[in-house]
Amino acid sequence: MSRTGTAARTTDEGHELRRSLGLRDLVVYGLLFIAPMAPVGVFGTLDAKSHGAVALVYVVATVAMAFTAFSYAQMVRVVPQAGSVFAYARAALGREAGFVAGWMAMLDYLLIPAVAYLFSGIAMNSLVPEVSRWVWTALAVVVTTALNLWGVRAAARAGFLVLAMEVVVLLVFVVSALVVLGRDGAERGWWSPLSGDGTQGSFALSAVIGAVSVAVLSFLGFDAIATFAEEVTGGSRKVARALLFCLALAGVLFIAQTYLVALLEPTTSARLAADPGKQGSAFYDAVDASVGTWLHDLVAASKAIGAAFAALAGQAAAGRLLFAMGRDRRLPRALSRTDSGLPRVALLCAAAITLVAAVWAARRGDGMDRLVSVVDIGALTAFTLLHASVVGWFAVRRAGGPVSWWRHVLIPVLGAAITVTVIVEASGAAQVVGAVWLAAGLAVLLVQRGRRTAPPTGQTG
């Protein structure tokens, strides 16, 4: 094993991934995981929180997440490994910090797919109520797992078709909204999505910042691109470009659709704030009132299919994370076995965990709420350690050549401040689950350290 400007990489036979992905494939995985119409479910909540300035919320959220994307781009160039933030923190901050980063990211990568599978099952159950939603949920897991086991290229091709469908539906919405706005005019002021609708008083920056803490969660998943660093052809710079492009494109799509639907929204932000029960369906209600139920149904069907394939991308990323941690012997070594360059054992393990979580939630009335409340803390904690890794690698260890104080210190410090702020703003339940998961990880770390320092059997001292 050697180090030549990047972190050491295991190359023993049977523990390597096959390079077969291009730039388009990376962008497809990132956008699938995010979902082009991610704001649909949270539009009403953000509109109420921001006093109607929902498009401005996504402008700020895009800028905020750009700090994290930039830090990923810095680290993937010097540590081009499958473990993503696990590998970065291990190389820059030490093995223990790497384990904590990977452990916290695992919470996110294993549960976000479960949420997406459950969303797909609920949507299919609404179309075919004779079949229980847990059955639809389990079927979605089986189908997407089969695609992931078929191969990363096959999954990427299928994902591209689904992503193309989602983009077409989004374009249909945009065109329909523009036609209605041109014919009937806007329900709110043309600048209100950026300045607020005025029904909850004057513009309040604090309200926008509070909504940003929710909006940044729409972007979770773009970082999955980094987990494919060992499977991309053409070098790690392609991964960095894909990360930045995916975030920028998602930001443009989110800003455009929330701006348009805010203009179509007949319900004021004040009324949405007073009636939280209407917030979840606010996007669909606005589409129904202005365009028609046909577009509502089209968007709903697209979201149902897209959710399953968002889970496909998340499951693939989770499998790579488990593979990398197994290869480093931080998880069972069996997880690092590959078959024709594919981490099938790790993928099956990730699929089994998400299947149990998704089916459990599907059989409960409050299952969705329970899952959603805990999936974000892991990613945000891992992002914080990512920013610390940039400072550690470039500014402290000076392993990346000359230090750029704005790229290697200022941007990651600001990025860490943003992620910590979002963690503080998270729900109490999410913070408790995150703390319990972190405590469990630290316990595992102590056990592993004890095994490494224990003398061989028959020896003392």
Side-chain angles (χ1 to χ4, degrees):
M1 194 179 299
S2 64
R3 295 180 182 270
T4 57
T6 65
R9 178 166 28 187
T10 303
T11 57
D12 47 313
E13 186 177 356
H15 301 276
E16 294 180 321
L17 301 173
R18 184 172 59 193
R19 296 187 180 276
S20 59
L21 297 176
L23 181 63
R24 190 194 75 172
D25 301 317
L26 295 174
V27 173
V28 166
Y29 271 112
L31 286 179
L32 270 180
F33 203 169
I34 294 175
M37 298 190 75
V40 168
V42 295
F43 168 79
T45 300
L46 297 178
D47 194 48
K49 277 181 168 287
S50 66
H51 300 184
V54 63
L56 178 61
V57 167
Y58 273 106
V59 171
V60 177
T62 302
V63 173
M65 291 307 298
F67 289 98
T68 295
F70 191 84
S71 287
Y72 266 110
Q74 296 301 303
M75 291 306 299
V76 75
R77 291 188 176 103
V78 295
V79 188
Q81 296 187 23
S84 183
V85 68
F86 160 70
Y88 309 153
R90 180 189 59 182
L93 306 176
R95 293 174 64 88
E96 287 75 15
F99 174 82
V100 172
W103 182 264
M104 296 307 293
M106 200 187 330
L107 181 65
D108 169 51
Y109 281 175
L110 292 175
L111 290 186
I112 280 186
V115 172
Y117 283 130
L118 177 55
F119 188 95
S120 183
I122 291 172
M124 290 302 299
N125 174 250
S126 68
L127 297 174
V128 188
E130 294 81 11
V131 179
S132 298
R133 64 181 184 177
W134 75 264
V135 175
W136 286 119
T137 300
L139 182 61
V141 177
V142 171
V143 171
T144 54
T145 300
L147 280 170
N148 271 326
L149 293 175
W150 189 3
V152 68
R153 285 288 297 152
R157 284 194 292 267
F160 177 77
L161 295 176
V162 172
L163 182 61
M165 174 207 68
E166 292 186 273
V167 171
V168 168
V169 171
L170 179 55
L171 289 175
V172 170
F173 162 73
V174 169
V175 172
S176 301
L178 290 174
V179 169
V180 171
L181 290 170
R183 183 187 65 204
D184 302 329
E187 293 286 341
R188 299 181 182 179
W190 290 96
W191 288 103
S192 65
L194 297 171
S195 61
D197 63 359
T199 60
Q200 297 186 65
S202 59
F203 174 80
L205 181 60
S206 60
V208 172
I209 298 301
V212 167
S213 67
V214 177
V216 296
L217 306 180
S218 299
F219 292 91
L220 294 187
F222 82 95
D223 54 295
I225 293 172
T227 65
F228 298 98
E230 291 182 38
E231 295 164 89
V232 65
T233 60
S236 57
R237 290 185 179 276
K238 191 175 290 185
V239 180
R241 288 198 300 271
L243 277 161
L244 296 171
F245 175 78
C246 187
L247 177 69
L249 180 57
V252 170
L253 295 177
F254 293 172
I255 293 165
Q257 65 191 272
T258 52
Y259 180 87
L260 290 173
V261 78
L263 294 178
L264 299 173
E265 175 61 79
T267 305
T268 66
S269 66
R271 289 180 59 190
L272 286 174
D275 188 359
K278 291 185 177 181
Q279 293 176 11
S281 62
F283 191 105
Y284 293 114
D285 293 340
V287 170
D288 278 350
S290 59
V291 181
T293 56
W294 66 270
L295 184 55
H296 174 161
D297 295 340
L298 182 62
V299 171
S302 171
K303 288 287 289 179
I305 298 172
F309 279 79
L312 175 144
Q315 184 191 93
R320 271 69 183 177
L321 176 60
L322 295 179
F323 161 83
M325 294 183 72
R327 188 172 61 181
D328 196 51
R329 292 182 170 84
R330 289 299 186 175
L331 291 177
R333 180 70 166 169
L335 293 171
S336 68
R337 297 298 304 179
T338 59
D339 179 11
S340 300
L342 192 68
R344 287 195 169 90
V345 175
L347 283 170
L348 285 171
C349 182
I353 294 171
T354 53
L355 174 65
V356 170
V359 171
W360 170 83
R363 295 177 67 89
R364 296 178 58 96
D366 60 349
M368 178 66 81
D369 290 339
R370 286 179 175 268
L371 277 182
V372 169
S373 67
V374 302
V375 299
D376 309 317
I377 292 295
L380 294 167
T381 305
F383 288 169
T384 304
L385 288 171
L386 161 72
H387 294 302
S389 298
V390 175
V391 177
W393 180 270
F394 291 98
V396 178
R397 294 185 55 190
R398 296 181 181 265
V403 177
S404 169
W405 292 105
W406 72 271
R407 285 190 300 154
H408 303 146
V409 178
L410 179 61
I411 287 181
V413 167
L414 290 175
I418 291 169
T419 55
V420 169
T421 299
V422 178
I423 290 173
V424 171
E425 293 288 334
S427 68
Q431 292 172 342
V432 168
V433 171
V436 170
W437 182 254
L438 175 60
L442 293 176
V444 172
L445 189 61
L446 287 174
V447 170
Q448 291 180 346
R449 178 181 290 181
R451 288 177 178 174
R452 292 187 180 192
T453 58
T457 304
Q459 296 184 17
T460 61

